[in-house]
Structure formats: C-alpha cells, structure tokens
Amino acid sequence: MSTAASNIQYPDRLDFALSPTPLQYLSNLSKELDGPRLWVKRDDLTGSHLSGNKVRKLEFLFAQARALGADTIITCGGVQSNHCRATALLAVQAGFKCHLLLRGDEPELNDGNLLLDRLAGATISFYPSHSFESRLGEYFSHWQQHYFDLGRKAYAIPTGGSNATGLWGYLRCAEELTVQCAAAGFSANHWVTATGSGGTQAGLTLGAAILSPATCVTGMAVCDDSAYFARKVGADIVAWAEEFAELSLQNTQSLPEPLNALPVTTNDRYIGPGYALAGPEIYQTIKRVAATEGLLLDPVYTAKAFHGMLAEIDSGAWANADDIVFVHTGGVFGLFPHKQHFIF
Ligand SMILES: *Cc1c(COP(=O)(O)O)cnc(C)c1O
C-alpha cells in the first residue's frame, strides 16, 4: 500500500478499523484554555464496539495469524481489558476462536468489557493478580500446547497487542494524522496519547520521526515509569526494524537513523494511585470534557492522559506548541464499572 503522504510499504492487514478516523478541533475547550489549539484524533471511532486503538494493531496481527494458518487467538490482559474485548469481537468477525487469559479473580458481575467478552463467546481463564506477570509465559505455553494437542493452531498476541507486528497499526495512524494536520493547516507541534503497553506510542513515535519530524510525541503513562517505557518502546521499534527488515529496507529512504536513538518521551506523573485506580480529579476531567465537548473519556486511560495534558499546558511546559493533538484511544466501556465514583 502507498498513500499520498509517503511511500511506506505495509505488510498484509485485515480491513476492520473504520479509518481514517476524524481529526476534530475542540473549540470550546481551546477557548476556555486560552492557550494552544486543542485537537482530538478520534481513534475511539474506529468502530462502535471494536472501538479504540487495539483494532489498528489487531488488523496486522490477525493478518499474520491467518497467514500462519492459526485457527485460535490467545491473548491476555486485565479483567476490564479493552484489548481483550476488541480481540474477542474481532475473532468472531474474522473467523477465529478466542481464548482470553485475564489477570484477577472472576467477578460476580459481568460488567463493561467483560460482558462483551462473554457475549462474543470467548473462552476465559482467570489467574491470580499477584503472580500473573511472572507466570504469563507459562500460561501461554500451556494453552498453545493444549490447542496443538487438539490438532489446532493457536496464535499468541502479547499484552495490548504491543509488538513489532502491532506497531504497524500506529505507524499507519501517524500517516493518517500527518495528512490530516496538513489539511487542517498546521503541522502538529505535539501529539499526546495514553500509554499502557507502549505500542501506540511506539508507532506514533516512529511515524512522527519518519513523516513529521518537527512533531513531539508524548505518551502519558497509566502504569509503569518513564524508564520502563523508554526501554519498551525502543525495543518494539528495534524489533520492528529487524522482523520486517525487508519492508523496512523498502522504506529505507525515509527511515530515521539510528532507530535505537529515537527520542521516546513518556510522562509518568499522572498515573495517580495506580493502574485502573483514579483520584477525584480524573472523574472531574471526565465530567468537564463530556459537558464542554460532548466527548467521552475513560478513567483507566484517556482521562488520565487528558488530565495530564491539561496540567502540562497549565504549567506552561508546552508553551511553544500552538497546536496539540490528543490521540483518543477509546475505552468507553471501562467507564461503566466506575459508576460508583461519580458524584453529581
Ligand atoms: C490499551 C489502551 C491504551 C494504551 O495503549 P498501548 O498501546 O497499550 O500503550 C490507551 N487507551 C485505551 C483506551 C486502551 O485500551
């Protein structure tokens, strides 16, 4: 595939995300802030229930699964994982079986994303939180062997779909966004996104370096610290260049050098009490943005990132940016399990 913005060569992709997603100007909030112009790249609109950022990564991952002859997808995440929900629904649409390995106890109620996983008919295994990370490799091997013994073939997708293959999804988004910013009459000074497993930030960082070098990409961490994401995002980009050396070579004219020295900017000051735990300022931000722009954020990812972005603007840290684009990564179903935290 090639487009007007560049001649980036992409690997095979299943076409599931509604794209390009719109770039919208937030006129009310921009007026309130009386500072930079705020824009939002509506990746919450990649679909209504397949919505959010994971769909873009899964388009490339599912294409690879199909090419390898897999019939089953295994992936993992929290009980309210948006990534697992998107995988479960896409698996149905693309004709795969799906098995989710979820971190935590089985809740009494099937709320939010978990309800949708159930509706999609995914097989679900729950594992204790405390040892989940350290034993995850073992869980994946166990189930892959299990399906192999049944004469089936399982394709494993890591947390958040963040690996070399998934990275293509946000390289492609960066290409869309570059074209849209130019059409809107600016070259974005700053792209901001929520960062959880790092793949979105990795794709945007690489894409900006190739296509829009004056743009600064900031990942707002919702877990882990900046040092962790510097390593993780850097490693994903290097793995991408190695795994897709042939395609990368075709893209060589536009590849920045050296890849392992790309600046990776992560802000870890707005995580709050922890992953999926939010303070009152986050629920306040959700109400403020819904009431001023009719735009919905979620307490796990996008509201933390948005709150952090507003705080950074307020502090004057980004005073040299005339235009800031918030990449909205979805997550609306994660709002409902937090209903008890809202005070009206
Ligand atoms: C997974 C997710 C993110 C984080 O994206 P990563 O690529 O995992 O860093 C951000 N927002 C939402 C709504 C998500 O579901």
Side-chain angles (χ1 to χ4, degrees):
M1 188 190 104
S2 81
T3 74
S6 76
N7 44 19
I8 294 179
Q9 303 296 314
Y10 292 86
D12 285 346
R13 165 179 81 83
L14 303 188
D15 189 12
F16 280 100
L18 301 177
S19 64
T21 57
L23 175 68
Q24 288 177 350
Y25 180 52
L26 297 181
S27 58
N28 299 332
L29 266 178
S30 297
K31 204 181 291 170
E32 260 185 40
L33 293 179
D34 196 22
R37 297 192 296 171
L38 271 191
W39 304 77
V40 59
K41 170 72 168 160
R42 297 293 305 273
D43 267 18
D44 55 322
L45 299 182
T46 49
S48 75
H49 47 282
L50 273 180
S51 74
N53 61 343
K54 302 310 180 311
V55 190
R56 288 191 186 267
K57 307 178 192 187
L58 292 170
E59 288 190 325
F60 290 97
L61 290 158
F62 272 58
Q64 190 174 69
R66 186 171 281 173
L68 292 171
D71 52 28
T72 302
I73 305 288
I74 308 178
T75 196
C76 62
V79 169
Q80 282 300 333
S81 165
N82 296 304
H83 163 68
C84 289
R85 176 257 308 153
T87 303
L89 289 162
L90 188 53
V92 178
Q93 294 186 15
F96 293 90
K97 298 272 187 233
C98 178
H99 191 148
L100 304 176
L101 315 180
L102 300 185
R103 180 184 64 239
D105 296 330
E106 181 168 5
E108 273 169 41
L109 252 185
N110 292 308
D111 200 354
N113 285 302
L114 181 60
L115 174 64
L116 304 184
D117 299 341
R118 297 281 193 201
L119 290 175
T123 302
I124 302 179
S125 303
F126 294 89
Y127 293 102
S129 304
H130 60 87
S131 53
F132 190 77
E133 291 305 326
S134 60
R135 297 192 62 185
L136 192 54
E138 195 186 311
Y139 302 150
F140 269 106
S141 317
H142 167 81
W143 288 112
Q144 276 184 302
Q145 185 63 42
H146 169 84
Y147 288 113
F148 180 80
D149 292 343
L150 294 175
R152 287 164 54 182
K153 183 164 183 186
Y155 176 85
I157 297 180
T159 309
S162 291
N163 63 9
T165 307
L167 189 148
W168 286 104
Y170 271 83
L171 190 52
R172 192 162 167 274
C173 177
E175 182 163 19
E176 267 178 43
L177 188 48
T178 303
V179 173
Q180 289 172 317
C181 292
F186 66 97
S187 59
N189 309 114
H190 221 128
W191 295 349
V192 180
T193 191
T195 281
S197 62
T200 303
Q201 190 182 347
L204 291 177
T205 299
L206 179 62
I210 296 173
L211 301 162
S212 182
T215 296
C216 174
V217 177
T218 297
M220 305 298 282
V222 302
C223 53
D224 300 302
D225 61 11
S226 302
Y228 168 82
F229 284 112
R231 281 195 305 277
K232 167 69 172 138
V233 170
D236 279 359
I237 292 173
V238 169
W240 168 87
E242 282 170 10
E243 196 169 317
F244 296 96
E246 210 173 297
L247 283 170
S248 300
L249 228 53
Q250 292 176 42
N251 295 326
T252 195
Q253 272 175 317
S254 45
L255 276 188
E257 285 287 343
L259 271 181
N260 59 5
L262 280 188
V264 175
T265 307
T266 314
N267 183 324
D268 59 9
R269 293 190 295 277
Y270 302 97
I271 298 171
Y275 177 73
L277 302 172
E281 73 285 1
I282 300 304
Y283 299 105
Q284 198 53 47
T285 298
I286 293 174
K287 288 200 282 188
R288 178 182 180 191
V289 174
T292 52
E293 293 288 352
L295 186 71
L296 292 179
L297 302 173
D298 78 289
V300 183
Y301 293 99
T302 52
K304 282 189 183 175
F306 206 97
H307 167 74
M309 175 180 74
L310 293 180
E312 290 295 310
I313 292 171
D314 202 40
S315 77
W318 296 345
N320 59 349
D322 295 330
D323 292 275
I324 298 178
V325 178
F326 181 78
V327 179
H328 191 322
T329 42
V332 70
F333 302 112
L335 190 53
F336 299 97
H338 283 247
K339 46 180 134 358
Q340 71 275 18
H341 297 295
F342 287 93
I343 301 160
F344 297 99

